[in-house]
């Protein structure tokens, strides 16, 4: 039997929690809470970034990432269209135009399964450059 009031507080009253263990549990809880808040912020920022990205992609013209020209032919051949058909600059020299014409005609010749219309347009583009050049035949 305890003799004084102080003696009653010295006896363990059930499980004893050590201060270091309590500090560790508190820090672990704070860490989990911080991770939760950071995750929530990242998700919100990610949604906003996704909406912005989708809006930006939606504003791009269709075919922006294609290396091929989209669209039909103009009624009258122009320097720009001739360059697009042959895949050369409108200011390309005669040798580059001749090489580009040969390469494209090998791929699109009607005797090899190509379209007669495309072959005619390729020839028209080459003829346009030949006529536009001084000394062209």
């Amino acid at each position: 039997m305890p003799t004084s009031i102080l003696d009653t507080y010295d006896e363990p009253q059930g499980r004893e929690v050590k201060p270091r263990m309590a500090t560790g549990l508190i820090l672990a809880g704070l860490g989990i809470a911080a991770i939760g808040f950071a995750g929530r912020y990242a998700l919100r920022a990610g949604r906003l970034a996704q909406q912005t990205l989708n809006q930006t992609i939606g504003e791009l013209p269709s075919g922006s990432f294609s290396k091929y020209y989209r669209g039909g032919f103009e009624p009258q051949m122009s320097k720009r269209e001739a360059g697009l058909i042959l895949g050369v600059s409108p200011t390309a020299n005669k040798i580059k135009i001749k090489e580009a014409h040969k390469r494209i005609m090998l791929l699109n010749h009607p005797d090899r399964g190509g379209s007669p219309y495309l072959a005619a347009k390729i020839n028209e583009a080459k003829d346009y450059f030949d006529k536009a050049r001084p000394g062209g035949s």
Side-chain angles (χ1 to χ4, degrees), residues 18-65:
K18 297 178 183 173
R20 286 186 182 219
M21 187 174 170
T23 305
L25 289 173
I26 291 171
L27 289 177
L30 289 175
I32 291 172
I35 289 171
F37 281 119
R40 187 173 80 175
Y41 175 76
L43 284 175
R44 286 185 181 173
R47 285 188 196 126
L48 181 63
Q50 182 182 10
Q51 288 173 352
T52 306
L53 181 66
N54 287 339
Q55 182 181 5
T56 304
I57 288 175
E59 291 173 359
L60 291 174
S62 63
S64 295
F65 300 110

Side-chain angles (χ1 to χ4, degrees), residues 5 21-22 69 82 99 123 137:
I5 293 180
M21 187 174 170
Y69 174 71
E99 289 172 355
N123 285 329
S137 50

